[in-house]
Amino acid sequence: MATEVDHQKRALRAELRERRQNLTQTEKDNATIGVTEHLQSLVTALDARSVACYLSTQTEPDTRPFLNWALEQGIRVLFPVSRDDGLLDWTVGETGDETQGLFGMPEPVGELLGPIAINQVDLIIVPAAAIDQGGMRMGWGRGYFDKTLGSMEKCPPVYAVVYDAELLTDLPREVHDQPVNGVVTPSRILDF
Ligand SMILES: Nc1nc2c(c(=O)[nH]1)N(C=O)[C@@H](CNc1ccc(C(=O)N[C@@H](CCC(=O)O)C(=O)O)cc1)CN2
Ligand SMILES: Nc1ncnc2c1ncn2[C@@H]1O[C@H](COP(=O)(O)OP(=O)(O)OP(=O)(O)O)[C@@H](O)[C@H]1O
């Protein structure tokens, strides 16, 4: 049954999605520069040798320049592959090809490593629609990262990537929602 919080989340997602769609190419290009720089600083500060990170869509802050840098550095990158049971498989995308996964998300093509492969990384970079000042995360509504993070015994640092205007005071919250340790925006890295 859809609850009041479900409705609030849905309305907020629609607003945030529209805002992203209205960004100009110049605004997106400037955001990419900042996000790339801050993701590189984060990986360097944590001395992460392996990271989990998604391939961004057209409207998400662009993770691709960061991913190219990470691969050049010899960092192992695990990419999420959506499964229809709500869990995420992971792949290093050794073929170099990209495809559209479930729901049209971009995914690399490669051997599927299964949900527990995520336990091997030093840093998890997650997509989000918004983050609040306490570090609670709202995603795009399929619960993939809530389930993944909620099932991990020992979780490395988790950072979300959002635009600055998506750092909100308060978010509607459900019991299964998982917080992040920090957030990367075009203008800064924020630790909770
Ligand atoms: N680039 C990228 N890859 C990712 C994610 C992501 O957010 N971004 N995911 C993060 O979990 C997973 C896929 N999650 C998804 C979550 C929701 C919908 C989706 O279509 N949701 C709504 C509409 C969203 C909206 O309001 O704009 C729908 O069901 O119609 C699709 C995939 C794994 N890969
Ligand atoms: N740990 C969990 N176990 C079972 N169901 C869950 C869990 N986490 C989330 N769900 C279900 O998934 C659906 C989406 O949850 P929610 O709106 O919090 O997702 P989200 O954080 O926006 O999505 P995502 O993690 O994919 O970005 C809800 O119906 C919720 O009940």
Side-chain angles (χ1 to χ4, degrees):
M1 210 186 75
T3 62
E4 179 59 27
V5 177
D6 282 332
H7 287 298
Q8 290 171 353
K9 282 187 170 181
R10 194 163 307 165
L12 189 52
R13 281 191 193 104
E15 196 184 315
L16 293 162
R17 184 179 53 228
E18 192 176 324
R19 250 197 248 168
R20 282 190 177 181
Q21 285 165 346
N22 288 334
L23 291 172
T24 65
Q25 193 55 48
T26 310
E27 285 170 325
K28 288 203 265 189
D29 290 347
N30 288 333
T32 302
I33 295 170
V35 162
T36 303
E37 183 190 323
H38 296 134
L39 286 172
Q40 290 173 349
S41 304
L42 183 65
V43 164
T44 306
L46 293 171
D47 195 21
R49 301 308 306 154
S50 66
V51 303
C53 185
Y54 57 99
L55 278 177
S56 53
T57 63
Q58 288 291 324
T59 52
E60 289 174 322
D62 192 353
T63 58
R64 289 158 193 265
F66 159 71
L67 288 166
N68 291 334
W69 170 85
L71 293 167
E72 274 168 27
Q73 302 292 305
I75 291 166
R76 183 166 190 259
V77 181
L78 284 187
F79 298 90
V81 175
S82 308
R83 300 180 9 161
D84 59 13
D85 64 359
L87 300 179
L88 293 170
D89 278 324
W90 298 91
T91 183
V92 297
E94 64 277 359
T95 64
D97 289 334
E98 193 175 313
T99 185
Q100 278 198 352
L102 284 182
F103 318 115
M105 291 290 171
E107 291 175 354
V109 177
E111 187 192 345
L112 296 180
L113 299 174
I116 62 171
I118 184 75
N119 289 303
Q120 295 159 4
V121 303
D122 304 321
L123 167 67
I124 303 178
I125 296 165
V126 298
I131 300 290
D132 76 15
Q133 59 186 2
M136 288 312 295
R137 166 185 177 276
M138 184 179 73
W140 293 105
R142 296 209 175 253
Y144 278 107
F145 279 98
D146 287 329
K147 286 180 202 132
T148 297
L149 300 175
S151 72
M152 293 180 74
E153 247 174 53
K154 198 172 159 291
C155 196
V158 179
Y159 280 74
V161 183
V162 293
Y163 290 104
D164 287 282
E166 296 163 349
L167 279 176
L168 304 177
T169 311
D170 255 319
L171 278 173
R173 180 172 177 182
E174 291 167 281
V175 280
H176 61 256
D177 284 333
Q178 297 291 323
V180 293
N181 301 103
V183 57
V184 168
T185 76
S187 78
R188 61 179 170 157
I189 301 173
L190 181 63
D191 294 303
F192 293 110

Short mmCIF file of all heavy atoms in Angstrom, two decimals, residues 13 17 54-57 60 80 82 88 103 105 127 140 142 144-145, ligand 1:
data_model
loop_
_atom_site.label_atom_id
_atom_site.label_comp_id
_atom_site.label_asym_id
_atom_site.label_seq_id
_atom_site.Cartn_x
_atom_site.Cartn_y
_atom_site.Cartn_z
N ARG A 13 10.73 13.57 -5.99
CA ARG A 13 11.53 13.04 -7.12
C ARG A 13 11.15 13.71 -8.43
O ARG A 13 12.02 14.02 -9.24
CB ARG A 13 11.32 11.53 -7.27
CG ARG A 13 12.10 10.71 -6.29
CD ARG A 13 12.05 9.23 -6.68
NE ARG A 13 12.54 8.43 -5.57
CZ ARG A 13 11.76 7.73 -4.74
NH1 ARG A 13 10.45 7.68 -4.93
NH2 ARG A 13 12.30 7.07 -3.75
N ARG A 17 13.73 15.67 -10.64
CA ARG A 17 14.00 15.20 -11.99
C ARG A 17 13.83 16.33 -13.00
O ARG A 17 14.66 16.53 -13.88
CB ARG A 17 13.05 14.05 -12.34
CG ARG A 17 13.33 13.43 -13.71
CD ARG A 17 12.38 12.29 -13.99
NE ARG A 17 11.00 12.70 -13.81
CZ ARG A 17 10.09 12.03 -13.13
NH1 ARG A 17 10.37 10.88 -12.58
NH2 ARG A 17 8.86 12.49 -13.00
N TYR A 54 28.75 3.96 -10.38
CA TYR A 54 27.81 3.74 -11.48
C TYR A 54 28.20 4.58 -12.68
O TYR A 54 28.88 5.60 -12.56
CB TYR A 54 26.40 4.11 -11.01
CG TYR A 54 26.34 5.54 -10.52
CD1 TYR A 54 25.87 6.55 -11.34
CD2 TYR A 54 26.82 5.87 -9.26
CE1 TYR A 54 25.87 7.87 -10.92
CE2 TYR A 54 26.82 7.18 -8.83
CZ TYR A 54 26.35 8.18 -9.66
OH TYR A 54 26.37 9.48 -9.24
N LEU A 55 27.76 4.15 -13.85
CA LEU A 55 27.87 4.94 -15.07
C LEU A 55 26.70 5.91 -15.08
O LEU A 55 25.54 5.48 -15.03
CB LEU A 55 27.75 4.03 -16.30
CG LEU A 55 28.98 3.27 -16.79
CD1 LEU A 55 28.59 2.38 -17.96
CD2 LEU A 55 30.09 4.24 -17.20
N SER A 56 26.97 7.21 -15.13
CA SER A 56 25.89 8.19 -15.02
C SER A 56 25.05 8.27 -16.30
O SER A 56 25.52 7.98 -17.40
CB SER A 56 26.48 9.57 -14.71
OG SER A 56 27.48 9.90 -15.64
N THR A 57 23.80 8.70 -16.12
CA THR A 57 22.90 8.99 -17.25
C THR A 57 23.12 10.44 -17.67
O THR A 57 23.86 11.18 -17.02
CB THR A 57 21.43 8.81 -16.84
OG1 THR A 57 21.14 9.79 -15.82
CG2 THR A 57 21.14 7.42 -16.31
N GLU A 60 22.26 12.84 -14.70
CA GLU A 60 23.00 12.73 -13.44
C GLU A 60 24.32 13.48 -13.55
O GLU A 60 24.87 13.60 -14.64
CB GLU A 60 23.28 11.26 -13.12
CG GLU A 60 22.04 10.48 -12.73
CD GLU A 60 22.28 8.99 -12.55
OE1 GLU A 60 23.07 8.41 -13.32
OE2 GLU A 60 21.66 8.41 -11.66
N PRO A 80 27.46 -1.32 -10.95
CA PRO A 80 26.22 -2.06 -10.64
C PRO A 80 25.47 -2.48 -11.90
O PRO A 80 25.43 -1.74 -12.89
CB PRO A 80 25.39 -1.03 -9.86
CG PRO A 80 25.86 0.30 -10.35
CD PRO A 80 27.32 0.13 -10.72
N SER A 82 21.63 -3.87 -12.63
CA SER A 82 20.33 -4.09 -11.98
C SER A 82 19.76 -5.46 -12.31
O SER A 82 19.76 -5.88 -13.47
CB SER A 82 19.31 -3.04 -12.44
OG SER A 82 19.82 -1.75 -12.28
N LEU A 88 21.56 -6.03 -6.79
CA LEU A 88 22.51 -5.58 -7.80
C LEU A 88 23.61 -6.62 -7.99
O LEU A 88 24.22 -7.08 -7.02
CB LEU A 88 23.17 -4.26 -7.37
CG LEU A 88 22.27 -3.02 -7.30
CD1 LEU A 88 23.00 -1.87 -6.61
CD2 LEU A 88 21.81 -2.60 -8.69
N PHE A 103 15.39 -0.75 -16.91
CA PHE A 103 14.98 0.65 -16.72
C PHE A 103 15.84 1.63 -17.50
O PHE A 103 15.88 2.81 -17.18
CB PHE A 103 14.97 1.05 -15.24
CG PHE A 103 14.42 0.01 -14.34
CD1 PHE A 103 15.22 -0.60 -13.39
CD2 PHE A 103 13.09 -0.37 -14.44
CE1 PHE A 103 14.72 -1.56 -12.55
CE2 PHE A 103 12.58 -1.35 -13.60
CZ PHE A 103 13.39 -1.95 -12.66
N MET A 105 19.06 2.13 -17.57
CA MET A 105 20.31 2.66 -16.99
C MET A 105 21.52 2.15 -17.78
O MET A 105 21.55 0.98 -18.17
CB MET A 105 20.46 2.19 -15.54
CG MET A 105 19.46 2.81 -14.62
SD MET A 105 19.81 4.55 -14.39
CE MET A 105 18.34 5.06 -13.52
N PRO A 127 24.48 6.82 -6.60
CA PRO A 127 23.65 7.89 -7.15
C PRO A 127 22.61 8.28 -6.11
O PRO A 127 22.33 7.51 -5.18
CB PRO A 127 22.98 7.21 -8.35
CG PRO A 127 22.95 5.76 -8.02
CD PRO A 127 24.12 5.49 -7.13
N TRP A 140 16.12 6.90 -6.61
CA TRP A 140 15.08 7.05 -7.63
C TRP A 140 13.95 6.05 -7.47
O TRP A 140 13.15 5.85 -8.39
CB TRP A 140 15.70 7.03 -9.02
CG TRP A 140 16.55 8.24 -9.20
CD1 TRP A 140 17.92 8.29 -9.19
CD2 TRP A 140 16.12 9.60 -9.36
NE1 TRP A 140 18.35 9.58 -9.33
CE2 TRP A 140 17.27 10.41 -9.44
CE3 TRP A 140 14.86 10.21 -9.43
CZ2 TRP A 140 17.20 11.80 -9.59
CZ3 TRP A 140 14.80 11.60 -9.59
CH2 TRP A 140 15.94 12.38 -9.66
N ARG A 142 13.65 2.52 -6.48
CA ARG A 142 13.53 1.07 -6.61
C ARG A 142 14.24 0.33 -5.48
O ARG A 142 14.26 -0.89 -5.44
CB ARG A 142 14.01 0.60 -7.97
CG ARG A 142 13.14 1.14 -9.08
CD ARG A 142 13.06 0.26 -10.28
NE ARG A 142 12.11 0.81 -11.22
CZ ARG A 142 10.91 0.29 -11.44
NH1 ARG A 142 10.53 -0.79 -10.82
NH2 ARG A 142 10.09 0.85 -12.30
N TYR A 144 17.29 -0.21 -4.74
CA TYR A 144 18.48 -1.02 -5.02
C TYR A 144 19.60 -0.78 -4.01
O TYR A 144 20.17 -1.73 -3.46
CB TYR A 144 19.04 -0.73 -6.43
CG TYR A 144 18.33 -1.48 -7.53
CD1 TYR A 144 17.47 -0.84 -8.39
CD2 TYR A 144 18.55 -2.84 -7.69
CE1 TYR A 144 16.83 -1.53 -9.41
CE2 TYR A 144 17.91 -3.54 -8.70
CZ TYR A 144 17.05 -2.88 -9.56
OH TYR A 144 16.43 -3.57 -10.55
N PHE A 145 19.92 0.50 -3.78
CA PHE A 145 21.05 0.77 -2.88
C PHE A 145 20.67 0.59 -1.42
O PHE A 145 21.50 0.20 -0.61
CB PHE A 145 21.69 2.12 -3.18
CG PHE A 145 22.62 2.03 -4.37
CD1 PHE A 145 22.20 2.39 -5.63
CD2 PHE A 145 23.90 1.50 -4.22
CE1 PHE A 145 23.05 2.26 -6.74
CE2 PHE A 145 24.75 1.35 -5.31
CZ PHE A 145 24.33 1.73 -6.56
N1 LIG B 1 23.29 5.66 -13.49
C1 LIG B 1 22.63 4.97 -12.56
N2 LIG B 1 22.76 3.64 -12.50
C2 LIG B 1 22.08 2.93 -11.56
C3 LIG B 1 21.23 3.57 -10.63
C4 LIG B 1 21.09 4.99 -10.73
O1 LIG B 1 20.35 5.65 -9.97
N3 LIG B 1 21.82 5.63 -11.69
N4 LIG B 1 20.57 2.82 -9.68
C5 LIG B 1 20.18 3.28 -8.42
O2 LIG B 1 19.47 2.65 -7.71
C6 LIG B 1 20.30 1.41 -9.99
C7 LIG B 1 19.07 1.38 -10.89
N5 LIG B 1 18.01 2.00 -10.22
C8 LIG B 1 16.87 2.53 -10.73
C9 LIG B 1 16.02 3.19 -9.89
C10 LIG B 1 14.86 3.74 -10.37
C11 LIG B 1 14.53 3.65 -11.70
C12 LIG B 1 13.27 4.24 -12.22
O3 LIG B 1 12.97 4.14 -13.38
N6 LIG B 1 12.48 4.89 -11.32
C13 LIG B 1 11.21 5.54 -11.55
C14 LIG B 1 11.34 6.86 -12.25
C15 LIG B 1 12.41 7.69 -11.64
C16 LIG B 1 12.07 9.13 -11.59
O4 LIG B 1 11.20 9.53 -10.78
O5 LIG B 1 12.73 9.88 -12.34
C17 LIG B 1 10.27 4.57 -12.22
O6 LIG B 1 10.18 3.49 -11.66
O7 LIG B 1 9.62 4.87 -13.21
C18 LIG B 1 15.40 3.00 -12.55
C19 LIG B 1 16.57 2.44 -12.07
C20 LIG B 1 21.53 0.80 -10.55
N7 LIG B 1 22.17 1.60 -11.56
#
